Amino acid sequence: MSTVHSHRAGDIAVLTIDNPPVNAMSMAVRADLVAAVRSAASDAAVRAVVLIGANGKFIPGADIREFGKPITGPSGRDVIAAIEAAAKPVVAALAGHALGGGLEIALGCHWRVATPGCQLGLPEVKIGLLPGAGGTQRLPRLVGAARALEMITSGQPIGARAALDCGLIDAVVEGELLDAALEFAQRVLAEARPLRLLSACNDRVAGTDLALFDELLSKNAKKWRGLIAPQRIVDCVRAACTQPFEQGYALELASFDECKASPQRAALIHLFAAERDVARIPGLSADVAARTVASAAVIGAGTMGGGIAMCFANAGIPVWLLDTNADALTRGRALIEKNYATSVARGSLTQERMDRALGLITGTLEYAAIADSDIVIEAAFEDMAIKQQVFRQLDAVMKPAAILATNTSTLDIDKIAAVTTRPESVIGAHFFSPANVMKLLEVVRAAKTSPQAIVTTMALARTIGKVGVLAGNADGFIGNRILAVYGRECDFLLEEGATPWQVDRALQGFGFPMGLYLMRDMSGLDVGWRIRQYREQFRDKRLRYSPIADRLCELGRFGQKTAKGYYLYDGRNATPDPAVEALIEQVAKELNIARRAVSDDEIVTRVLTAMANEGLKILGEGIALRAGDIDVAYVHGYGFPRHQGGPMYWADQRGWGAVYETVRHYHASQGALWAPAPRLVEMAARAQAFEQG
Ligand code: NAD
């Protein structure tokens, strides 16, 4: 069965790609397309060709089942070569998604028409690749370098109207797509229009201001650090503007092969799949549907509450912001306004959108006002008695169908649920600071949380632009529990011979946008200090404990806010402080630790091994559903470099046998904190990787 059907409409050949379910570009589709185009080209009765997809879909990109496999048979480039060789007008009729290799084929055609709902884009960068069938060369020749760069480096698709505005397509078709495409082809024939081969069009790229490329690279220096694909995309589009097509085309192929061979690509594909799977919750009946969340309330107008309210408003959901007194509300509102105003000043938000969002946030002191909200998220002080008091009030006033969520970071959600008459409606919704920016939302399932509350909160995460990861109700949930281990090992490394700046440099070298100590200084050391002071009474004194952070706080060094923390600050500029090094040496002396040279490699390996071991414990305890969920949480909540795939993926790549060896080494020298996860023994024995199932 061919995946491309041909039929004739008068003197126009209609080639229909039909590869259920979505018309993905498989090896068979490419081969069948080449054959069908050649056959139409050699048929003297055919004067033009329309290329269309079956069932209202064009080509949404490569067939995911062929990811990572060697390409056999004709490539996308061969399909385009056949179209160019046909020397007859070829019109692409686009609907649904015209993405990746699908859009590249459309760019190889002479003209393009699309339905109003069509989405067009080159998303390859998201899996560490670049378009390899001429996309980096043809798109700039059609829409100009700036627009092409934006589309290819972001990977974000655009709608048909925007595509028409920038010249990517020639018409938006309201009625029947095939009829309109045939009509377009007839017009081309009637007007005897010269064939428009993009490989031969240079007018849009000639005269491009080449400063554009360096500006883009420097603007994205932080975001793209260590990433190969975006840099190569810039190189290729630059070549499209400065070199003949054939040279740019060759550079694109070489760059594509380089990206394909890089381990980054495999890591990014892993995350792509993990992000898709994270919303799947095994064991829940398919009958449980998410409830619509059309209104919301947030309790506590502080740092987190304000940010959470912004998330709802940004998604167009009206939200109440409730606090105990008018001053707190005024302060909270002023902070929200300031955050929005910063975005407007930066150009990332229009004044109109800011006004609309602010119009959706309403302050109140009265519980009665929020009673009809579909969900309420409590973000009051981190104090069990206060939270229980809030939940008693919520239980008294909220409509029966409402979801009652808490943003607690450390408290037991079962104890909060227990004061209500409806623990099945109580759930954790753990946002990360700043809540309006950070993508991660840990959705915490307490003992009695209903499937409906889980499904609704997970769906809400998506609605408000977050990545929801389901976690169990245990101290630190997923993310902060691993963070504790990460911080602990860095602190021990300081005592053993490293400096904060060396640890940060090593972690940044691995790809973290910010090292641990810069991050701590930025968020403020006093918060953690207060938590540790409270927890001191419960701490197991037999286990190793690093007092360095406490010592800094005792000196009033709270980080950026006091201009001193692990580093010295001039505004936001950090410089190493010899006094901190002296303090660390002093602590090591008191603890009888002989300092030694520590390598960057040891820092990275030790920290990541500890994270992976803890991750396995979390999995074993059922706190996380899948290894991939831990990776997704780390990438979206903790700055784990995306191209390294996450801590569990890192361990997969290193090999669990090697991870076990490292854990055993530290277990012998460090004791119980390094106890191997029960599953680690099993993983190492079977040399099993999560990736292989
Ligand atoms: P915050 O001190 O900035 O704000 C708390 C707000 O709650 C204040 O405006 C206060 O007036 C109000 N409030 C206190 N008691 C209240 C009550 N009974 N009813 C109504 N409002 C009340 O605190 P925050 O940093 O926004 O943290 C809020 C919650 O979010 C805490 O549970 C915290 O653990 C959690 N959290 C914080 C972070 C973070 O990084 N700050 C991250 C995740 C979760």
Side-chain angles (χ1 to χ4, degrees):
M1 270 289 280
S2 176
T3 57
V4 178
H5 314 306
S6 305
H7 77 271
R8 286 272 294 281
D11 50 6
I12 299 176
V14 177
L15 311 187
T16 307
I17 302 151
D18 188 5
N19 182 30
V22 292
N23 292 340
M25 175 109 93
S26 63
M27 295 174 201
V29 168
R30 284 191 298 269
D32 292 341
L33 267 175
V34 169
V37 170
R38 284 196 183 140
S39 152
S42 62
D43 185 341
V46 170
R47 295 181 61 221
V49 176
V50 165
L51 192 58
I52 193 166
N55 303 319
K57 298 179 173 77
F58 192 64
I59 302 174
D63 192 330
I64 212 157
R65 287 165 297 196
E66 291 178 5
F67 271 16
K69 294 193 184 148
I71 289 183
T72 55
S75 65
R77 288 182 167 220
D78 296 328
V79 176
I80 295 170
I83 293 170
E84 294 196 340
K88 293 177 183 178
V90 182
V91 177
L94 312 176
H97 294 100
L99 301 177
L103 184 62
E104 288 185 289
I105 291 207
L107 289 168
C109 297
H110 306 101
W111 289 280
R112 287 147 294 279
V113 297
T115 57
C118 184
Q119 293 280 311
L120 304 94
L122 293 169
E124 288 82 352
V125 71
K126 294 187 179 173
I127 51 165
L129 284 177
L130 44 81
T136 66
Q137 302 305 299
R138 291 192 178 87
L139 189 62
R141 284 177 162 80
L142 189 56
V143 304
R147 191 70 208 248
L149 278 172
E150 188 187 314
M151 281 184 72
I152 310 175
T153 58
S154 74
Q156 290 301 352
I158 61 173
R161 296 276 164 211
L164 182 67
D165 288 346
C166 70
L168 174 49
I169 57 173
D170 303 285
V172 175
V173 169
E174 293 292 345
E176 187 57 42
L177 177 62
L178 179 57
D179 293 347
L182 287 169
E183 208 179 295
F184 193 97
Q186 289 293 3
R187 210 160 50 234
V188 165
L189 290 172
E191 293 169 8
R193 286 198 209 171
L195 298 184
R196 190 165 167 233
L197 277 188
L198 290 180
S199 48
C201 295
N202 292 319
D203 48 321
R204 281 306 299 264
V205 286
T208 299
D209 177 3
L210 299 180
L212 170 78
F213 299 100
D214 291 334
E215 276 165 25
L216 190 76
L217 285 173
S218 74
K219 199 175 117 200
N220 290 289
K222 214 168 169 183
K223 196 163 141 200
W224 293 347
R225 190 174 24 179
L227 288 176
I228 301 172
Q231 318 264 354
R232 294 295 172 271
I233 289 167
V234 173
D235 295 343
C236 288
V237 176
R238 194 197 315 247
C241 299
T242 55
Q243 293 177 18
F245 181 84
E246 288 309 329
Q247 280 180 31
Y249 207 41
L251 177 70
E252 183 193 84
L253 190 58
S255 306
F256 179 84
D257 287 341
E258 182 192 351
C259 290
K260 201 170 150 203
S262 146
Q264 292 188 2
R265 189 185 66 105
L268 291 163
I269 288 179
H270 157 72
L271 274 171
F272 184 82
E275 283 164 355
R276 186 193 53 205
D277 291 345
V278 79
R280 296 200 188 124
I281 304 161
L284 290 195
S285 148
D287 307 339
V288 184
R291 290 214 182 104
T292 309
V293 173
S295 59
V298 175
I299 311 295
T303 316
M304 294 304 289
I308 296 167
M310 289 171 76
C311 297
F312 283 107
N314 295 345
I317 299 172
V319 54
W320 292 102
L321 194 51
L322 183 148
D323 211 301
T324 47
N325 60 70
D327 279 353
L329 280 182
T330 311
R331 264 198 316 272
R333 177 121 195 142
L335 188 61
I336 291 172
E337 283 176 11
K338 192 172 141 230
N339 285 339
Y340 277 129
T342 308
S343 302
V344 171
R346 226 191 287 123
S348 56
L349 186 77
T350 62
Q351 183 68 42
E352 187 204 343
R353 286 190 75 112
M354 165 173 168
D355 294 343
R356 200 182 324 148
L358 280 174
L360 289 169
I361 303 174
T362 314
T364 181
L365 300 172
E366 304 296 332
Y367 274 84
I370 69 170
D372 273 335
S373 303
D374 294 322
I375 190 165
V376 47
I377 297 182
E378 170 277 319
F381 295 139
E382 187 75 344
D383 178 303
M384 182 56 87
I386 291 178
K387 296 217 188 271
Q388 288 180 330
Q389 182 51 28
V390 168
F391 273 77
R392 276 191 203 99
Q393 280 167 282
L394 292 174
D395 191 29
V397 301
M398 297 306 295
K399 68 179 179 189
I403 289 174
L404 314 183
T406 170
N407 182 43
T408 182
S409 309
T410 56
L411 301 175
D412 181 353
I413 300 173
D414 287 328
K415 289 200 177 125
I416 299 175
V419 301
T420 71
T421 58
R422 41 173 139 170
E424 68 283 0
S425 301
V426 177
I427 194 165
H430 186 220
F431 289 77
F432 288 74
S433 184
N436 54 313
V437 176
M438 297 299 288
K439 284 268 190 201
L440 177 62
L441 176 61
E442 281 182 313
V443 174
V444 188
R445 182 206 309 236
K448 295 188 178 161
T449 309
S450 71
Q452 175 124 64
I454 294 171
V455 170
T456 305
T457 312
M458 290 291 285
L460 171 72
R462 234 184 126 92
T463 311
I464 60 175
K466 304 289 176 201
V467 179
V469 175
L470 190 64
N473 178 30
D475 190 22
F477 312 131
I478 298 173
N480 282 347
R481 179 154 156 196
I482 300 181
L483 181 65
V485 170
Y486 169 39
R488 178 192 86 199
E489 290 307 316
C490 288
D491 291 348
F492 290 167
L493 280 159
L494 297 187
E495 293 173 354
E496 290 170 33
T499 58
W501 19 104
Q502 188 200 354
V503 170
D504 284 354
R505 188 188 61 209
L507 295 170
Q508 285 167 201
F510 178 73
F512 279 94
M514 200 184 260
L516 176 81
Y517 296 108
L518 284 165
M519 191 178 82
R520 281 191 185 164
D521 274 355
M522 193 182 76
S523 43
L525 305 182
D526 48 330
V527 184
W529 187 35
R530 247 176 273 125
I531 295 173
R532 287 195 300 280
Q533 282 172 330
Y534 169 71
R535 292 189 163 198
E536 181 60 18
Q537 52 188 324
F538 312 113
R539 183 166 71 80
D540 183 346
K541 306 289 186 304
R542 291 166 304 180
L543 298 175
R544 184 176 171 187
Y545 176 84
S546 173
I548 296 170
D550 298 338
R551 292 281 184 90
L552 289 173
C553 290
E554 284 158 18
L555 295 170
R557 301 181 70 123
F558 294 160
Q560 271 189 32
K561 64 172 99 166
T562 54
K564 279 180 182 177
Y566 288 94
Y567 293 80
L568 281 176
Y569 289 87
D570 174 13
R572 287 186 179 183
N573 287 333
T575 42
D577 186 352
V580 171
E581 214 166 328
L583 184 146
I584 293 168
E585 280 165 12
Q586 176 61 30
V587 167
K589 211 160 142 196
E590 289 168 19
L591 296 171
N592 274 327
I593 297 170
R595 280 167 59 80
R596 59 183 171 85
V598 173
S599 72
D600 287 10
D601 193 42
E602 178 184 349
I603 294 171
V604 170
T605 306
R606 177 159 162 182
V607 165
L608 290 171
T609 303
M611 288 168 90
N613 189 39
E614 194 67 16
L616 274 189
K617 290 182 187 171
I618 285 173
L619 271 179
E621 292 163 28
I623 306 304
L625 288 174
R626 290 160 288 245
D629 287 17
I630 297 176
D631 290 337
V632 170
Y634 254 71
V635 164
H636 290 290
Y638 297 86
F640 197 99
R642 212 180 152 76
H643 61 278
Q644 300 279 12
M648 306 308 278
Y649 180 82
W650 175 86
D652 249 9
Q653 298 308 300
R654 185 168 157 81
W656 288 99
V659 171
Y660 185 36
E661 278 312 304
T662 309
V663 170
R664 279 218 300 216
H665 164 78
Y666 287 117
H667 191 203
S669 61
Q670 307 282 331
L673 288 172
W674 273 88
R679 245 179 118 176
L680 178 56
V681 185
E682 183 196 319
M683 295 288 288
R686 285 198 278 150
Q688 187 191 17
F690 284 109
E691 278 295 279
Q692 287 147 19

